[in-house]
Amino acid sequence: MDDQKDIKDIKVLPAPIPEGWVLDTKLKEDGTEVKCYLCPATEQRFYTYEDLMRYVRYAKAAKVSIYSP
């Protein structure tokens, strides 16, 4: 079964991200990749999944849109 991918080669997100948000990757000058969760509409960025979900929980509790800065 040479045509199957190794499980270690498959990258899985911790859990689904909110609709409208994307996982963005930037390349620094030294070649280091920096990944963040980005809302293209507001350009808000969170560098960990936990920070993004903390913001989503806050927004829901405060009854504000997760698409607002």
Side-chain angles (χ1 to χ4, degrees), residues 3-4 13 16-17 22-23 25-26 28 30 34-35 40-41 43 45 49 58 61-62:
D3 58 335
Q4 289 184 343
L13 295 175
I17 59 176
V22 295
L23 181 58
T25 303
K26 298 278 185 191
K28 291 172 61 175
D30 66 0
V34 177
K35 295 184 181 199
E43 300 208 6
R45 296 176 188 274
Y49 182 78
Y58 156 77

mmCIF file of all heavy atoms in Angstrom, residues 3-4 13 16-17 22-23 25-26 28 30 34-35 40-41 43 45 49 58 61-62:
data_model
loop_
_atom_site.group_PDB
_atom_site.id
_atom_site.type_symbol
_atom_site.label_atom_id
_atom_site.label_comp_id
_atom_site.label_asym_id
_atom_site.label_seq_id
_atom_site.Cartn_x
_atom_site.Cartn_y
_atom_site.Cartn_z
ATOM 1 N N ASP A 3 0.659 3.781 -1.909
ATOM 2 C CA ASP A 3 -0.017 5.013 -2.282
ATOM 3 C C ASP A 3 -0.745 5.675 -1.111
ATOM 4 O O ASP A 3 -1.283 6.756 -1.253
ATOM 5 C CB ASP A 3 -0.999 4.766 -3.432
ATOM 6 C CG ASP A 3 -2.050 3.730 -3.104
ATOM 7 O OD1 ASP A 3 -1.798 2.869 -2.243
ATOM 8 O OD2 ASP A 3 -3.115 3.770 -3.715
ATOM 9 N N GLN A 4 -0.757 5.073 0.066
ATOM 10 C CA GLN A 4 -1.408 5.679 1.229
ATOM 11 C C GLN A 4 -0.436 6.624 1.929
ATOM 12 O O GLN A 4 0.753 6.375 1.978
ATOM 13 C CB GLN A 4 -1.870 4.613 2.213
ATOM 14 C CG GLN A 4 -3.040 3.820 1.709
ATOM 15 C CD GLN A 4 -3.524 2.843 2.774
ATOM 16 O OE1 GLN A 4 -2.811 2.554 3.719
ATOM 17 N NE2 GLN A 4 -4.733 2.350 2.599
ATOM 18 N N LEU A 13 -6.250 20.188 12.290
ATOM 19 C CA LEU A 13 -6.502 21.304 13.195
ATOM 20 C C LEU A 13 -7.063 20.767 14.501
ATOM 21 O O LEU A 13 -7.708 19.719 14.519
ATOM 22 C CB LEU A 13 -7.510 22.268 12.567
ATOM 23 C CG LEU A 13 -7.064 22.986 11.309
ATOM 24 C CD1 LEU A 13 -8.212 23.805 10.735
ATOM 25 C CD2 LEU A 13 -5.881 23.871 11.579
ATOM 26 N N PRO A 16 -12.670 22.494 14.537
ATOM 27 C CA PRO A 16 -13.074 23.448 13.494
ATOM 28 C C PRO A 16 -12.943 24.898 13.961
ATOM 29 O O PRO A 16 -13.148 25.198 15.131
ATOM 30 C CB PRO A 16 -14.535 23.115 13.244
ATOM 31 C CG PRO A 16 -14.806 21.825 13.919
ATOM 32 C CD PRO A 16 -13.739 21.610 14.938
ATOM 33 N N ILE A 17 -12.602 25.764 13.035
ATOM 34 C CA ILE A 17 -12.548 27.185 13.339
ATOM 35 C C ILE A 17 -13.853 27.825 12.861
ATOM 36 O O ILE A 17 -14.525 27.275 11.990
ATOM 37 C CB ILE A 17 -11.309 27.872 12.722
ATOM 38 C CG1 ILE A 17 -11.285 27.728 11.201
ATOM 39 C CG2 ILE A 17 -10.039 27.321 13.321
ATOM 40 C CD1 ILE A 17 -10.145 28.470 10.530
ATOM 41 N N VAL A 22 -9.742 31.987 8.854
ATOM 42 C CA VAL A 22 -8.833 31.111 8.117
ATOM 43 C C VAL A 22 -7.560 30.895 8.933
ATOM 44 O O VAL A 22 -7.214 31.705 9.795
ATOM 45 C CB VAL A 22 -8.466 31.694 6.732
ATOM 46 C CG1 VAL A 22 -9.685 31.776 5.831
ATOM 47 C CG2 VAL A 22 -7.796 33.042 6.844
ATOM 48 N N LEU A 23 -6.887 29.793 8.633
ATOM 49 C CA LEU A 23 -5.571 29.552 9.218
ATOM 50 C C LEU A 23 -4.563 30.144 8.241
ATOM 51 O O LEU A 23 -4.442 29.691 7.105
ATOM 52 C CB LEU A 23 -5.326 28.060 9.419
ATOM 53 C CG LEU A 23 -4.001 27.682 10.053
ATOM 54 C CD1 LEU A 23 -3.844 28.328 11.424
ATOM 55 C CD2 LEU A 23 -3.875 26.178 10.168
ATOM 56 N N THR A 25 -0.680 31.493 7.157
ATOM 57 C CA THR A 25 0.729 31.195 7.385
ATOM 58 C C THR A 25 1.576 32.276 6.742
ATOM 59 O O THR A 25 1.408 32.586 5.570
ATOM 60 C CB THR A 25 1.107 29.830 6.773
ATOM 61 O OG1 THR A 25 0.272 28.825 7.333
ATOM 62 C CG2 THR A 25 2.555 29.479 7.069
ATOM 63 N N LYS A 26 2.450 32.861 7.529
ATOM 64 C CA LYS A 26 3.387 33.875 7.030
ATOM 65 C C LYS A 26 4.796 33.303 7.138
ATOM 66 O O LYS A 26 5.095 32.531 8.049
ATOM 67 C CB LYS A 26 3.324 35.155 7.867
ATOM 68 C CG LYS A 26 1.984 35.838 7.852
ATOM 69 C CD LYS A 26 1.831 36.677 6.643
ATOM 70 C CE LYS A 26 0.517 37.441 6.751
ATOM 71 N NZ LYS A 26 0.149 38.080 5.553
ATOM 72 N N LYS A 28 8.646 34.266 7.770
ATOM 73 C CA LYS A 28 9.533 35.327 8.239
ATOM 74 C C LYS A 28 10.799 35.332 7.388
ATOM 75 O O LYS A 28 11.069 34.396 6.642
ATOM 76 C CB LYS A 28 9.878 35.099 9.713
ATOM 77 C CG LYS A 28 8.686 35.303 10.639
ATOM 78 C CD LYS A 28 8.953 34.911 12.066
ATOM 79 C CE LYS A 28 10.057 35.690 12.707
ATOM 80 N NZ LYS A 28 10.250 35.384 14.134
ATOM 81 N N ASP A 30 13.803 34.819 8.167
ATOM 82 C CA ASP A 30 14.731 33.726 8.474
ATOM 83 C C ASP A 30 14.196 32.354 8.040
ATOM 84 O O ASP A 30 14.806 31.334 8.297
ATOM 85 C CB ASP A 30 15.086 33.709 9.957
ATOM 86 C CG ASP A 30 13.905 33.378 10.850
ATOM 87 O OD1 ASP A 30 12.789 33.147 10.346
ATOM 88 O OD2 ASP A 30 14.102 33.352 12.078
ATOM 89 N N VAL A 34 5.097 31.246 10.574
ATOM 90 C CA VAL A 34 4.280 31.705 11.689
ATOM 91 C C VAL A 34 2.827 31.522 11.272
ATOM 92 O O VAL A 34 2.388 32.085 10.274
ATOM 93 C CB VAL A 34 4.559 33.192 12.030
ATOM 94 C CG1 VAL A 34 3.646 33.661 13.150
ATOM 95 C CG2 VAL A 34 6.012 33.393 12.389
ATOM 96 N N LYS A 35 2.094 30.711 12.043
ATOM 97 C CA LYS A 35 0.697 30.448 11.734
ATOM 98 C C LYS A 35 -0.192 31.202 12.708
ATOM 99 O O LYS A 35 0.141 31.344 13.872
ATOM 100 C CB LYS A 35 0.407 28.955 11.814
ATOM 101 C CG LYS A 35 1.166 28.180 10.773
ATOM 102 C CD LYS A 35 0.818 26.731 10.782
ATOM 103 C CE LYS A 35 1.665 26.060 9.715
ATOM 104 N NZ LYS A 35 1.172 24.806 9.312
ATOM 105 N N PRO A 40 -10.360 37.655 7.914
ATOM 106 C CA PRO A 40 -10.044 38.581 6.825
ATOM 107 C C PRO A 40 -10.866 39.864 6.859
ATOM 108 O O PRO A 40 -10.372 40.920 6.453
ATOM 109 C CB PRO A 40 -10.362 37.776 5.557
ATOM 110 C CG PRO A 40 -10.266 36.346 5.976
ATOM 111 C CD PRO A 40 -10.729 36.322 7.404
ATOM 112 N N ALA A 41 -12.083 39.808 7.365
ATOM 113 C CA ALA A 41 -12.942 41.000 7.397
ATOM 114 C C ALA A 41 -12.411 42.067 8.342
ATOM 115 O O ALA A 41 -12.507 43.261 8.062
ATOM 116 C CB ALA A 41 -14.363 40.610 7.794
ATOM 117 N N GLU A 43 -9.207 41.644 10.114
ATOM 118 C CA GLU A 43 -7.763 41.428 10.262
ATOM 119 C C GLU A 43 -7.349 41.111 11.693
ATOM 120 O O GLU A 43 -6.191 41.278 12.065
ATOM 121 C CB GLU A 43 -6.974 42.597 9.671
ATOM 122 C CG GLU A 43 -7.263 42.775 8.196
ATOM 123 C CD GLU A 43 -6.127 43.385 7.416
ATOM 124 O OE1 GLU A 43 -5.035 43.583 7.968
ATOM 125 O OE2 GLU A 43 -6.345 43.642 6.232
ATOM 126 N N ARG A 45 -6.132 38.727 14.555
ATOM 127 C CA ARG A 45 -5.270 37.543 14.516
ATOM 128 C C ARG A 45 -5.132 36.963 15.907
ATOM 129 O O ARG A 45 -4.996 37.687 16.883
ATOM 130 C CB ARG A 45 -3.871 37.905 14.023
ATOM 131 C CG ARG A 45 -3.832 38.392 12.625
ATOM 132 C CD ARG A 45 -2.416 38.828 12.232
ATOM 133 N NE ARG A 45 -2.442 39.469 10.941
ATOM 134 C CZ ARG A 45 -2.368 38.818 9.788
ATOM 135 N NH1 ARG A 45 -2.227 37.521 9.784
ATOM 136 N NH2 ARG A 45 -2.423 39.474 8.655
ATOM 137 N N TYR A 49 -5.041 28.406 19.004
ATOM 138 C CA TYR A 49 -6.440 28.010 18.895
ATOM 139 C C TYR A 49 -7.176 28.371 20.186
ATOM 140 O O TYR A 49 -8.313 28.835 20.149
ATOM 141 C CB TYR A 49 -6.525 26.510 18.617
ATOM 142 C CG TYR A 49 -7.933 26.027 18.437
ATOM 143 C CD1 TYR A 49 -8.600 26.247 17.242
ATOM 144 C CD2 TYR A 49 -8.593 25.350 19.445
ATOM 145 C CE1 TYR A 49 -9.902 25.819 17.062
ATOM 146 C CE2 TYR A 49 -9.895 24.914 19.284
ATOM 147 C CZ TYR A 49 -10.544 25.147 18.087
ATOM 148 O OH TYR A 49 -11.834 24.728 17.921
ATOM 149 N N TYR A 58 -16.011 34.756 24.734
ATOM 150 C CA TYR A 58 -16.248 36.122 25.228
ATOM 151 C C TYR A 58 -17.307 36.807 24.372
ATOM 152 O O TYR A 58 -18.241 37.425 24.892
ATOM 153 C CB TYR A 58 -14.949 36.936 25.206
ATOM 154 C CG TYR A 58 -15.209 38.416 25.138
ATOM 155 C CD1 TYR A 58 -15.609 39.122 26.272
ATOM 156 C CD2 TYR A 58 -15.121 39.103 23.926
ATOM 157 C CE1 TYR A 58 -15.884 40.477 26.214
ATOM 158 C CE2 TYR A 58 -15.409 40.454 23.858
ATOM 159 C CZ TYR A 58 -15.793 41.132 24.996
ATOM 160 O OH TYR A 58 -16.080 42.465 24.921
ATOM 161 N N ALA A 61 -20.790 35.510 25.061
ATOM 162 C CA ALA A 61 -21.279 35.959 26.366
ATOM 163 C C ALA A 61 -21.654 37.439 26.337
ATOM 164 O O ALA A 61 -22.636 37.851 26.948
ATOM 165 C CB ALA A 61 -20.233 35.695 27.444
ATOM 166 N N ALA A 62 -20.861 38.238 25.620
ATOM 167 C CA ALA A 62 -21.118 39.678 25.535
ATOM 168 C C ALA A 62 -22.134 40.012 24.448
ATOM 169 O O ALA A 62 -22.485 41.177 24.275
ATOM 170 C CB ALA A 62 -19.807 40.415 25.264
#
